[in-house]
Amino acid sequence: MVETQLFGFGKKRQVQMSRTCMLAPMVGVADRGYRQLCRSFGAAGVVSEMVSAKGLYYGCLTLKAGERLSEQVASAQLCVITDEERPMGIQLFGGEPEFVGRAVAMVQQFQPDWIDLNMGCPVRKVVSTGAGSALMQDISTAAEIVRAAVRESDVPVTVKIRLGWDETHRNAVTFAQGMEDAGADAITVHGRTREQLYRGAADWTGISAVKQAVKIPVVGNGDVRTAADCLRMYAETGCDMVMIGRGTYGNPFLFREVIAAMHGESIDPPTPEERMTVMLKYIRLVLEQSEKPEEIAIREVRKQASWFLAGLHGAAHLRQQCYQLDSYAAAQHLAAAALNVAKASM
């Protein structure tokens, strides 16, 4: 059997994980239940949903002396880390070095394994504040943000970027070098420009170019949907780690498939029974951890739950029913119905 290699980064403190693949930070998708689920299937590491540095700071100002952030501020709730999720980083976004530095100092109490700075989010709401991908147009400010984060952090600081603003301004190499010079411990590169959003094919040559240009580790991201894709990204880009986002939708099983492929093995795809079992497990995780009433909390997982139904016989109709779920019991009935339809079609 081939021995699994390790992926490590960090100067102040070394973070190590299996060199297989990790889960990308995805707002509204990679919640705590989803992260725990993916870790249980072998995700090498996970990252929190994106947290606003400014929102975190101003939320903190409303607290009384001695109160804990974790339960009383919405932004800070995203920073809580469970043992089942580690190794885990907290991802922050912001366009002002001062506020990012303050936020980094504040989240140290949650003992993240690393801090990730989002400089790649293409969403207009984020970009309009000068954060996310907007920073790729301002290397000087981006570097100041990294320096502020490094000063305040006891753990490694990483940066997530894109290939550039648009095809005319593909500056990932220069940008990554600037972040390295500012003290970043690793760089994650999503193989699209901001202009592309999530359309078109990811260009892995841009990831390769960054890897060749910097000395710090590089994580590749974009269009990895199968175990074969993961191995091909490693081979074609030379990246140190692969990060998977949308390829995990309804398919946390992908992580175990990657591990098997890296050992020269193959495993059977999940059966309909396993898919429904894992769907229900995910729903339970979310409901158990939510402070909201069941009928409200379950609304927040309908979309993610529906992804587990993709590919099953009658999936379109089943997914419509999934979007109407109002209780865990209803989810159980839906899972049983999906299995009955699958058996009848065999």
Side-chain angles (χ1 to χ4, degrees):
M1 179 176 288
V2 179
E3 184 176 350
T4 301
Q5 296 180 325
L6 291 178
F7 166 63
F9 62 94
K11 295 180 283 291
K12 291 183 179 179
R13 184 186 302 175
Q14 184 76 189
V15 175
Q16 286 193 332
M17 60 185 82
S18 298
R19 188 174 182 259
T20 51
C21 55
M22 59 191 297
L23 178 67
M26 296 177 285
V27 175
V29 175
D31 54 35
R32 181 170 299 116
Y34 197 79
R35 296 192 298 266
Q36 291 176 339
L37 188 68
C38 289
R39 279 285 292 134
S40 73
F41 278 95
V46 300
V47 188
S48 75
E49 296 178 77
M50 191 169 57
V51 180
S52 166
K54 217 169 201 178
L56 188 64
Y57 175 70
Y58 281 117
C60 176
L61 294 183
T62 67
L63 300 179
K64 298 177 182 178
E67 288 183 325
R68 293 182 61 82
L69 287 170
S70 57
E71 297 299 326
Q72 295 145 359
V73 181
S75 294
Q77 290 176 349
L78 296 173
C79 301
V80 176
I81 301 175
T82 63
D83 290 340
E84 292 82 4
E85 295 167 275
R86 294 187 186 278
M88 174 174 161
I90 292 178
Q91 187 182 75
L92 300 172
F93 77 94
E96 299 165 83
E98 176 186 3
F99 287 105
V100 173
R102 290 174 178 176
V104 168
M106 290 164 56
V107 300
Q108 297 303 303
Q109 67 172 293
F110 299 104
Q111 300 181 327
D113 294 296
W114 73 93
I115 299 294
D116 187 53
L117 301 177
N118 186 303
M119 298 187 183
C121 179
V123 177
R124 181 176 299 177
K125 183 178 179 180
V126 172
V127 171
S128 65
T129 67
S133 293
L135 287 166
M136 296 204 69
Q137 299 180 104
D138 188 351
I139 293 181
S140 177
T141 297
E144 283 301 317
I145 288 174
V146 171
R147 281 191 278 269
V150 171
R151 281 195 301 269
E152 299 294 343
S153 182
D154 298 325
V155 297
V157 173
T158 64
V159 181
K160 192 169 191 290
I161 69 173
R162 287 193 164 223
L163 298 182
W165 183 256
D166 54 31
E167 284 301 314
T168 307
H169 303 89
R170 288 174 56 125
N171 64 337
V173 167
T174 304
F175 192 90
Q177 290 173 326
M179 300 310 101
E180 179 181 34
D181 291 341
D185 292 286
I187 299 281
T188 298
V189 185
H190 179 91
R192 289 181 175 85
T193 64
R194 188 270 168 177
E195 183 181 51
Q196 285 181 274
L197 298 177
Y198 297 97
R199 299 187 299 265
D203 180 3
W204 293 358
T205 63
I207 300 172
S208 178
V210 171
K211 173 58 185 172
Q212 295 174 39
V214 299
K215 295 182 176 63
I216 56 178
V218 172
V219 180
N221 176 227
D223 287 358
V224 175
R225 298 184 177 91
T226 66
D229 289 339
C230 182
L231 270 59
R232 186 165 59 86
M233 177 175 274
Y234 273 120
E236 292 184 9
T237 70
C239 66
D240 300 281
M241 171 62 84
V242 169
M243 178 179 280
I244 308 179
R246 290 178 294 165
T248 70
Y249 284 7
N251 188 27
F253 317 102
L254 178 56
F255 292 104
R256 72 181 182 190
E257 291 168 8
V258 168
I259 294 172
M262 296 190 82
H263 287 83
E265 303 168 356
S266 62
I267 56 177
D268 293 330
T271 62
E273 288 79 7
E274 183 177 21
R275 287 162 68 109
M276 293 302 93
T277 296
V278 174
M279 180 189 77
L280 291 174
K281 177 182 178 180
Y282 167 65
I283 294 174
R284 284 200 307 274
L285 283 170
V286 173
L287 295 181
E288 289 167 0
Q289 296 167 358
S290 177
E291 297 180 353
K292 300 176 183 178
E294 179 179 349
E295 63 271 18
I296 295 177
I298 201 166
R299 295 174 191 169
E300 300 176 357
V301 299
R302 289 170 175 172
K303 177 178 66 176
Q304 293 94 316
S306 73
W307 292 331
F308 286 90
L309 299 164
L312 296 181
H313 190 77
H317 177 65
L318 292 169
R319 292 180 75 172
Q320 287 180 351
Q321 293 182 39
C322 193
Y323 282 106
Q324 304 301 317
L325 293 178
D326 57 6
S327 67
Y328 181 70
Q332 289 177 303
H333 287 308
L334 177 61
L339 291 179
N340 286 335
V341 171
K343 290 176 182 177
S345 65
M346 294 176 65

